Amino acid sequence: MHTTEVVNTDDKEADSWAEVLNRLRRAQGQLAAVRATYDLALIAYLHLPWPDMAQVLTRAATAVGKGGTLLLVGHDAANPEHGHGGPQDPRVLYTAEQVADLWRPHADILRAETAARPVTAAEGDNRTALDALVHAVRR
């Protein structure tokens, strides 16, 4: 559907700017309903301040169609203290439960956990990084 199919300002029905604005609002609503058509939203190691991250996560959840997959993996908030590597700024870290809480209104949470991932440190020794892992299916 193209916006021009919904809003035609040459139409005699659109006698005023108020009517044009009303028709644009209706068109936006119709187009928004079409957007939830992706099969997968994959968010991998994206680390933003939590208010921005929450917006990304919500948009991802609403962009995936019914039965689609939501998948997130990123450095867990516990990683700086108990793991190795990754961002050290707690303002850009999150837990699996924080992500799951945002996705629950939109999806069934299949898995939400802190996962241990083996890494090799710059010195060559083996370490463990802690990642937030969330897998959900859109309702």
Side-chain angles (χ1 to χ4, degrees), residues 52-103:
D52 298 326
M53 190 68 187
Q55 285 183 358
V56 168
L57 294 169
T58 301
R59 287 181 183 161
T62 58
V64 171
K66 184 178 179 181
T69 299
L70 296 161
L71 186 60
L72 172 130
V73 63
H75 300 287
D76 192 271
N79 194 58
E81 187 174 338
H82 303 289
H84 179 76
Q88 300 298 301
D89 184 349
R91 295 173 296 178
V92 300
L93 296 170
Y94 41 80
T95 66
E97 195 56 38
Q98 282 177 288
V99 175
D101 285 346
L102 281 175
W103 282 352

Side-chain angles (χ1 to χ4, degrees), residues 104-134:
R104 269 192 191 93
H106 310 283
D108 295 322
I109 307 301
L110 303 180
R111 187 173 177 184
E113 63 187 49
T114 300
R117 176 175 47 88
V119 296
T120 303
E123 304 81 30
D125 56 330
N126 294 327
R127 302 276 181 96
T128 301
L130 300 178
D131 292 334
L133 176 63
V134 184

Side-chain angles (χ1 to χ4, degrees), residues 7-19:
V7 180
N8 181 353
T9 57
D10 294 332
D11 193 339
K12 291 179 183 175
E13 196 177 316
D15 292 332
S16 68
W17 281 109
E19 178 60 26

